[in-house]
Amino acid sequence: MKKYILLTLLITTAAVAQKTNLYCIGDSTMANKKDPEKNPEHGWAQVLQPFFTDNILVVNKAVNGRSTKSFIAEKRWDSIYKVLKKGDYVLIEFGHNDQKIEDPSRYTNPHTAYRYNLIKFVKESREKGAIPILLTSISRRNFNEKGVLVPTHGDYPLETRLVAQEYNVPFIDLEYYTEQLEQSYGPENSKLLHLHFKAGENPFYDKDKADDTHLSLKGATEIAQIFISQLKLLKSPSLQKLQKEIK
């Protein structure tokens, strides 16, 4: 009986060990939200697991309010770096909080600190044999009075593109594709992608809610689908294993 239990444990452990981890590092637009059955807000990486087979384990380490600077300073990256193994993947999407110029604990100059923090994530992922994937920030719902979607992320997406090009990193321009998504819905219907509720309309909010940055379940799912569709198109030998595990 003891031998049987030990054998079962060994088989189970081996099965878990064979899984490839897909680590997600970023901010609240990616992060898991508490009480998902009731909470209307969802991060797009929160709904990513169902798009992959059981051989891929989505490990969502994105956290609300974090920039590249604070994610590193709080040792969150160190905790991932310690357990990264060859063949794992790291999705990197920052920018929303790096631009918080009023907060020295989070703000980074896009052309210096932000750039070098991205390079750090890329180089250290590769040191462990993991494959980094760089992503630009998702677009905010920011239409002007003429119905034009106005960008809000300054030079952070540009620097992400440049780092991806310079270091030959697989890259998905989520800013571009989510701009297209917002525009396809238009100024009014795009509210469905985000958090727009009148007081009492949703039991989770007792006051009016008008949030054009964070995502509803619908918005999160649409962006996860965009990520998956673009991941399939990337021509990179390092991504072939991950691409084969897409359902």
Side-chain angles (χ1 to χ4, degrees):
M1 183 64 176
K2 289 183 179 179
K3 288 183 179 179
Y4 174 77
I5 293 172
L6 179 60
L7 180 61
T8 301
L9 287 172
L10 288 172
I11 292 172
T12 303
T13 302
V16 172
Q18 289 172 0
K19 288 195 175 186
T20 298
N21 292 321
L22 176 62
Y23 289 96
C24 304
I25 65 172
D27 53 45
S28 57
T29 61
M30 240 187 171
N32 292 339
K33 310 301 176 183
K34 294 180 180 179
D35 203 4
E37 296 301 318
K38 297 179 181 178
N39 190 350
E41 183 180 346
H42 289 71
W44 69 265
Q46 182 177 358
V47 300
L48 198 54
Q49 184 67 67
F51 291 94
F52 290 99
T53 69
D54 291 340
N55 294 323
I56 299 295
L57 179 62
V58 175
V59 184
N60 191 2
K61 294 293 187 178
V63 183
N64 291 4
R66 270 53 180 190
S67 67
T68 57
K69 182 178 183 179
S70 61
F71 199 87
I72 292 168
E74 294 172 4
K75 307 296 183 183
R76 295 179 185 277
W77 173 244
D78 285 349
S79 69
I80 296 167
Y81 177 77
K82 288 175 184 176
V83 298
L84 269 180
K85 66 181 186 297
K86 185 176 180 180
D88 283 342
Y89 297 85
V90 183
L91 302 186
I92 305 163
E93 186 216 343
F94 288 95
H96 277 94
N97 297 300
D98 284 84
Q99 65 181 171
K100 304 286 187 182
I101 198 166
E102 73 285 353
D103 185 353
S105 69
R106 293 188 289 177
Y107 174 72
T108 60
N109 181 320
H111 306 297
T112 55
Y114 178 74
R115 169 183 167 81
Y116 282 97
N117 289 341
L118 293 183
I119 294 170
K120 174 183 174 70
F121 295 142
V122 168
K123 286 185 173 181
E124 293 185 359
S125 295
R126 286 173 169 172
E127 281 175 13
K128 302 298 286 287
I131 299 97
I133 304 173
L134 282 170
L135 313 168
T136 47
S137 297
I138 66 168
S139 176
R140 289 186 175 96
R141 178 186 168 277
N142 186 44
F143 288 93
N144 67 15
E145 67 280 0
K146 299 294 186 182
V148 175
L149 189 69
V150 180
T152 65
H153 292 112
D155 287 340
Y156 294 94
L158 171 63
E159 284 298 342
T160 306
R161 296 179 185 104
L162 291 173
V163 170
Q165 183 177 46
E166 183 175 347
Y167 288 85
N168 194 27
V169 184
F171 169 70
I172 296 175
D173 199 341
L174 278 187
E175 183 187 46
Y176 171 68
Y177 293 110
T178 55
E179 281 180 356
Q180 290 187 321
L181 177 66
E182 299 281 355
Q183 289 166 344
S184 71
Y185 273 81
E188 186 60 31
N189 287 339
S190 57
K191 292 178 181 178
L192 297 172
L193 303 172
H194 298 278
L195 305 171
H196 280 257
F197 300 97
K198 296 294 184 183
E201 185 179 351
N202 187 291
F204 206 79
Y205 302 116
D206 57 5
K207 297 179 181 178
D208 287 355
K209 184 77 172 176
D211 183 339
D212 293 318
T213 296
H214 300 102
L215 301 167
S216 64
L217 176 58
K218 179 180 181 61
T221 303
E222 293 241 23
I223 292 172
Q225 289 172 330
I226 288 171
F227 168 76
I228 292 296
S229 66
Q230 293 306 311
L231 178 63
K232 289 178 180 178
L233 298 176
L234 289 179
K235 304 296 184 184
S236 173
S238 65
L239 297 181
Q240 287 180 358
K241 180 180 178 182
L242 185 61
Q243 290 165 332
K244 288 178 181 178
E245 302 298 340
I246 296 172
K247 287 181 179 179

